[in-house]
Amino acid sequence: MVKNKFVRITWIDYVRCIAILLVILMHSSEQAGVSDLFSRSLLSSIGRLGVPLFLMISGALMLPKVFQYSISEYFLRYTKRIIQFVLLLFGYAVITNLIHISFIKGEVIECPLHFLINNNGITAKGVAVHLWYMRVITVLYILLPFLSRFVKPLKSFTLCAWIGICMLPFILSKELCSIKLLSTVFPYIGYFVLGYIISNRVEIKTRSKNIMLISSLVLIISILVAYIIDLRFNGVDFFHFHWYSSSFTILISSIALFILLRELFEKYSTCPPIIANLSKCSFGIYLSHYIILLVIKDLVSSSCHFSLNGAILIVFYFFLSCFFAWGITSVLIRVPYLRKIVC
């Protein structure tokens, strides 16, 4: 059964809120420098679910919308959005690296051209590591009208097989993951289309409680399996086993969490104002939180003369970066000429 997705969907607002909080949690734990294998594995397995959730949300919303447009109509409508993505990628990369070099490291930029070449976000990201997602989503928006024509006539089973072809080779082969032109496109197309299938083609006939229970169990088991793999390899290839395009456990747990959240929140017709606002601000929070996080980390390390526990640092970084990024975005989103830099 295909549902109409042209109206605001409450459960997706909830998912978007959880996704941005997971992204901030992931970056906070990385900056806190958690060293023990169990904590790293647990935080990575949970925190890295944020990006797949965002990709599945985009697929759930965008693919049905694009079905109605011809290729030329699509680009007439969305070229400005694609250009905006590129400008945001460039702008936030430059600002993040400028603050890092000038404020945090206290260095002087002697050659602006050299700085732009090494920190533009498009060819080189510098310390703005979070902006890799902007490159992915920009490419997906460019491919979207072609992808929609491929997806629409296919049956769900055929689409799932095709998703497997897009994603499994990168999970099975480290060598294939090293080919950036492929590994930064095909696996994320898989997440994109998965969101569309789950939201628009899957009709849950079983009792909702059973689906929620199964999804929860799959999610927990996937996280435990990831830890067992980390133990087995003693943390070697940790990045490969915990990166979005090469982790089977992240793929499975992302699907389970997306289904779980859909079943948990789909019954609500409205959401509290705080959830609606956080959802609306999530893109701006994603763009700005990493700059704030780096500044907070520098202030803590320079002003605190004793070592803090990793868990305390994670909580401190998480709440402060979320608070300030949300606050700044909430203000900018109300200013007509500035809202385009956060939404």
Side-chain angles (χ1 to χ4, degrees):
M1 181 178 70
V2 179
K3 296 181 180 179
N4 187 352
K5 295 292 176 180
F6 296 103
V7 295
R8 189 169 187 88
I9 308 162
T10 300
W11 71 269
I12 282 186
D13 280 333
Y14 281 99
V15 178
R16 194 179 282 116
C17 291
I18 291 169
I20 190 58
L21 294 177
L22 290 175
V23 168
I24 298 174
L25 174 65
M26 184 69 246
H27 292 149
S28 297
S29 65
E30 288 177 339
Q31 293 301 320
V34 177
S35 57
D36 69 284
L37 188 59
F38 175 75
S39 298
R40 283 180 67 206
S41 181
L42 180 64
L43 288 166
S44 187
S45 294
I46 296 173
R48 291 212 189 277
L49 298 181
V51 167
L53 288 180
F54 273 127
L55 288 167
M56 288 192 277
I57 288 171
S58 296
L61 295 175
M62 288 301 297
L63 275 170
K65 186 182 292 186
V66 176
F67 288 157
Q68 66 181 314
Y69 302 134
S70 67
I71 293 175
S72 59
E73 287 173 336
Y74 171 82
F75 282 111
L76 282 173
R77 287 176 176 267
Y78 287 96
T79 296
K80 286 184 179 179
R81 184 63 165 165
I82 294 169
I83 293 172
Q84 181 195 9
F85 284 161
V86 175
L87 293 175
L88 288 173
L89 171 59
F90 175 79
Y92 276 92
V94 169
I95 292 170
T96 302
N97 285 286
L98 184 63
I99 290 174
H100 179 257
I101 294 172
S102 301
F103 176 76
I104 297 176
K105 296 178 70 177
E107 297 177 359
V108 177
I109 298 172
E110 297 179 353
C111 179
L113 180 60
H114 184 266
F115 169 80
L116 289 176
I117 291 172
N118 290 287
N119 301 286
N120 59 65
I122 299 168
T123 58
K125 58 182 179 292
V127 299
V129 295
H130 68 303
L131 293 176
W132 70 269
Y133 177 78
M134 287 301 298
R135 293 198 292 267
V136 170
I137 203 68
T138 302
V139 172
L140 286 175
Y141 264 67
I142 293 170
L143 296 176
L144 194 50
F146 310 102
L147 182 62
S148 69
R149 272 148 187 76
F150 174 79
V151 165
K152 187 176 182 179
L154 295 182
K155 294 182 178 179
S156 297
F157 178 81
T158 307
L159 271 180
C160 289
W162 179 77
I163 290 170
I165 293 171
C166 283
M167 303 184 77
L168 290 180
F170 297 94
I171 292 172
L172 300 173
S173 171
K174 285 178 62 178
E175 291 73 20
L176 198 58
C177 289
S178 64
I179 306 174
K180 297 299 182 183
L181 186 62
L182 299 178
S183 63
T184 55
V185 178
F186 286 100
Y188 303 107
I189 289 177
Y191 282 116
F192 201 78
V193 178
L194 271 171
Y196 161 72
I197 292 173
I198 294 170
S199 300
N200 296 271
R201 292 196 180 186
V202 175
E203 182 180 5
I204 306 295
K205 295 182 180 179
T206 331
R207 290 173 57 192
S208 181
K209 287 184 179 179
N210 292 339
I211 294 298
M212 290 169 63
L213 177 61
I214 294 169
S215 299
S216 300
L217 288 174
V218 171
L219 178 61
I220 293 168
I221 291 170
S222 298
I223 293 172
L224 290 174
V225 168
Y227 177 57
I228 292 169
I229 292 172
D230 291 331
L231 277 179
R232 170 69 178 80
F233 292 94
N234 197 28
V236 177
D237 288 333
F238 184 89
F239 183 82
H240 178 76
F241 291 127
H242 285 272
W243 188 248
Y244 312 99
S245 59
S246 56
S247 173
F248 185 71
T249 55
I250 286 181
L251 171 60
I252 298 302
S253 53
S254 298
I255 296 171
L257 181 58
F258 195 68
I259 293 173
L260 173 63
L261 294 176
R262 171 189 164 178
E263 291 304 299
L264 190 61
F265 296 117
E266 196 173 29
K267 60 187 175 184
Y268 298 112
S269 57
T270 59
C271 58
I274 190 171
I275 297 296
N277 183 260
L278 179 56
S279 174
K280 187 177 181 180
C281 293
S282 59
F283 186 51
I285 294 171
Y286 151 72
L287 290 168
S288 61
H289 81 279
Y290 201 74
I291 311 172
I292 296 166
L293 181 56
L294 292 178
V295 172
I296 292 170
K297 180 185 177 181
D298 178 67
L299 292 174
V300 169
S301 61
S302 60
S303 60
C304 189
H305 302 293
F306 53 90
S307 59
L308 292 173
N309 179 273
I312 294 175
L313 281 176
I314 291 171
V315 173
F316 189 71
Y317 290 164
F318 174 84
F319 280 105
L320 281 184
S321 57
C322 184
F323 174 79
F324 284 110
W326 190 357
I328 291 169
T329 303
S330 295
V331 171
L332 293 179
I333 210 168
R334 290 172 169 80
V335 182
Y337 295 104
L338 296 178
R339 67 189 317 271
K340 287 296 182 182
I341 66 175
V342 291
C343 72

